Amino acid sequence: MKIAKVTWGEAQAELSAIRHAVFIEEQQVPEELEWDGEDESALHVLVHEDSQPIACARLLADGHIGRMAVLKDYRSRGAGRLMLKTLLMEAEKLRRSRVFLNAQTRAAGFYAKYGFSQVGGEFPDANIPHLRMEKNLDNFSETLNARFAIPGRLRFQDSGAGLPVAEITTPDAMARVAVQGGQVLEWQPNGQKPVIWVSKAAVYQTGKGVRGGVPVCWPWFGQLEGKGAHGFVRVRMWEVRESRTDLADTVVLRLGIKDDESTRAQWDHAFDLELIVTVGAALKMELVTRNTGDKPFTITDGLHTYFRVGDIKQTKVQGLDGTEYFDKVRDFAKERQSGAVTFSGETDRVYINTTSDCMIEDPVFGRTIRIAKAGSTSTVVWNPWTEKEKAFSDMAAGEYADMVCVETVNASPDEITLQPGAKHNLTAFIGVE
Ligand code: TA6
């Protein structure tokens, strides 16, 4: 069995004959879906057995491995393994930071053996159940540093499972931002205890959000028709788009994600989503949604911020007095807030029609955290307390007392509808007084 790297120009006849036999004839994939115009620019591999072309696959410029096909009479002889290992080596040589593929669900176990992890739920592709699977290559952080590191200010580190996290240091603060999920993990002004909370039991793995920090909830906040809570972007790898220093010695990191076939299978819209994080004596996070398609879409969205407090039982949240809220703990009963929010049990409230600043008064740490916002008309206040805490394998016992979520959101019924070409900014500004 011999494998060769080929271009479409060199081996179009052999490559298309194998794919025609496997995908179009055997798997009934519609012809128009198979020839997608990506072949000319792809890197292809072609396997021969006794000078007979028997298998092929391709790697696209964005790290997408696809079109893996082995003729029926030559399966289970290692052709798939040989092609995958060859494409992984090519991706490393091309200094790709990660590779991904849409695996037929029944083949997921094969790819998992090579370090691919499932990301998101199953989706149909040509009526065959598929899973998106991703693998971060060993040089992911190096690749990012070559393009985006700022000496003395910003550097990407591998936080585990090949997941790159930006470590940011300014004269006024430090922060950590995970590329997966576009998730701020930490922010700590000099001289202060950490302001953003991350669990001691947090898990860093492909396809799983980190417990704590600021999960990005998009394109829906909360549960939606039995789909994953808080949308799908928080478990997906985003792309780093820009890093720079700015006024007042701040550091700006811009991350983005846009639609692809696996997101469209879950939510059939074209979009571009960006998170712009500005780190300094204050923390600013801007979530920018763009409708890049040709039809309107409606979202709910949120920055699900976890804050570090000295003791939840002594903590108060000001700024919501007189506003209405849905109490999730009491079957979404509608209530009106009177005075400060205090905590003596599981608390999970969606405050609606509110644009006010919120202040977390923390007598144990002797500070007040102010959360100002723009482009958000709902605020969620959440603490899991003792029982719910036990339900989270990525929360350590007793950690509920160290944290409170004050989330900057647009939650139902505060929805956002965007016409084609329109954009929406949701911004949270956080400071310590
Ligand atoms: O924002 C509050 C909330 O919706 C809670 O109901 C709880 O589910 C929390 O978010 C955490 O959700 P997650 O999916 O991150 O475990």
Side-chain angles (χ1 to χ4, degrees):
M1 190 178 282
K2 286 191 174 17
I3 190 164
K5 267 190 322 176
V6 293
T7 64
W8 187 249
E10 289 163 344
Q12 177 172 353
E14 295 94 329
L15 294 167
S16 43
I18 295 168
R19 283 163 52 181
H20 195 279
V22 172
F23 295 125
I24 296 164
E25 287 167 23
E26 192 183 330
Q27 297 193 2
Q28 299 295 301
V29 171
E31 187 106 29
E32 65 277 9
L33 287 184
E34 183 53 31
W35 316 120
D36 60 359
E38 300 273 9
D39 287 310
E40 288 73 3
S41 56
L43 182 156
H44 297 268
V45 286
L46 180 59
V47 178
H48 283 81
E49 171 104 327
D50 306 332
S51 72
Q52 165 77 17
I54 62 147
C56 67
R58 74 182 188 184
L59 168 68
L60 302 185
D62 63 357
H64 187 169
I65 289 175
R67 300 304 197 269
M68 287 193 81
V70 182
L71 291 180
K72 194 186 293 189
D73 297 346
Y74 295 87
R75 286 171 194 165
S76 308
R77 297 190 192 181
R81 184 169 49 247
L82 178 60
M83 293 195 290
L84 190 60
K85 289 176 78 164
T86 304
L87 288 177
L88 287 175
M89 278 191 295
E90 288 307 317
E92 297 250 7
K93 272 189 228 163
L94 291 166
R95 303 196 62 70
R96 290 277 168 274
S97 40
R98 64 189 176 93
V99 290
F100 67 92
L101 46 85
N102 293 319
Q104 296 190 12
T105 301
R106 59 190 173 77
F110 166 71
Y111 293 110
K113 283 206 297 269
Y114 289 91
F116 284 83
S117 303
Q118 175 182 338
V119 171
E122 193 174 65
F123 61 92
D125 187 351
N127 291 325
I128 303 168
H130 277 69
L131 292 172
R132 179 176 170 113
M133 299 187 82
E134 295 185 359
K135 174 182 172 69
N136 299 311
L137 300 178
D138 297 343
N139 62 353
F140 199 168
S141 292
E142 283 163 48
T143 309
L144 292 172
N145 283 325
R147 295 180 59 197
F148 299 106
I150 304 173
R153 287 284 183 271
L154 184 152
R155 178 160 185 74
F156 288 91
Q157 302 284 357
D158 179 340
S159 66
L163 292 174
V165 170
E167 311 269 346
I168 297 171
T169 309
T170 84
D172 301 302
M174 66 75 70
R176 295 174 69 235
V177 183
V179 179
Q180 178 169 272
Q183 186 174 2
V184 172
L185 297 177
E186 293 182 57
W187 174 62
Q188 182 172 9
N190 295 346
Q192 273 292 348
K193 293 188 186 304
V195 176
I196 303 292
W197 174 85
V198 65
S199 166
K200 298 187 197 84
V203 175
Y204 291 82
Q205 73 181 56
T206 296
K208 180 174 173 56
V210 173
R211 176 65 58 195
V214 187
V216 174
C217 304
W218 195 96
W220 63 84
F221 181 89
Q223 291 293 345
L224 180 70
E225 301 148 15
K227 295 184 178 179
H230 297 323
F232 50 75
V233 297
R234 62 176 176 155
V235 295
R236 291 294 301 275
M237 190 59 73
W238 292 35
E239 58 189 15
V240 179
R241 292 182 174 173
E242 181 190 22
S243 63
R244 60 184 163 85
T245 54
D246 205 332
L247 299 175
D249 256 332
T250 55
V251 167
V252 178
L253 180 63
R254 186 160 59 88
L255 305 156
I257 184 171
K258 49 183 180 291
D259 62 287
D260 62 26
E261 65 276 10
S262 68
T263 66
R264 287 190 296 272
Q266 298 179 73
W267 190 70
D268 189 14
H269 294 287
F271 68 86
D272 185 278
L273 184 67
E274 273 197 344
L275 181 74
I276 304 154
V277 185
T278 304
V279 176
L283 174 69
K284 180 168 138 182
M285 296 174 285
E286 297 170 273
L287 186 66
V288 184
T289 298
R290 287 181 176 83
N291 181 344
T292 55
D294 55 9
K295 55 186 180 180
F297 62 57
T298 297
I299 60 166
T300 50
D301 61 354
L303 295 168
H304 191 299
T305 313
Y306 287 74
F307 291 96
R308 179 76 170 83
V309 294
D311 176 2
I312 189 62
K313 300 182 188 70
Q314 301 180 57
T315 297
K316 290 182 180 176
V317 174
Q318 303 284 8
L320 296 165
D321 182 25
T323 55
E324 286 188 306
Y325 66 89
F326 292 106
D327 188 343
K328 194 170 168 185
V329 174
R330 296 178 49 237
D331 205 16
F332 289 100
K334 200 166 186 179
E335 305 286 351
R336 187 173 294 280
Q337 182 62 36
S338 169
V341 183
T342 56
F343 302 86
S344 56
E346 182 187 352
T347 307
D348 196 346
R349 302 174 182 178
V350 182
Y351 290 84
I352 55 174
N353 302 319
T354 169
T355 56
S356 63
D357 290 12
C358 287
M359 283 69 68
I360 302 173
E361 293 179 347
D362 180 345
V364 175
F365 284 175
R367 69 182 182 190
T368 295
I369 299 170
R370 179 178 291 271
I371 304 108
K373 62 179 188 175
S376 154
T377 52
S378 335
T379 296
V380 172
V381 177
W382 176 58
N383 184 282
W385 217 254
T386 50
E387 285 319 298
K388 267 286 171 58
E389 173 200 81
K390 290 181 189 134
F392 295 121
S393 58
D394 50 3
M395 268 188 96
E399 274 194 312
Y400 78 95
D402 303 338
M403 50 75 66
V404 66
C405 283
V406 176
E407 304 160 39
T408 307
V409 310
N410 292 295
S412 178
D414 295 336
E415 297 173 342
I416 306 286
T417 295
L418 286 187
Q419 296 304 317
K423 82 180 174 109
H424 164 71
N425 286 40
L426 166 65
T427 303
F429 307 80
I430 299 168
V432 180
E433 300 166 356

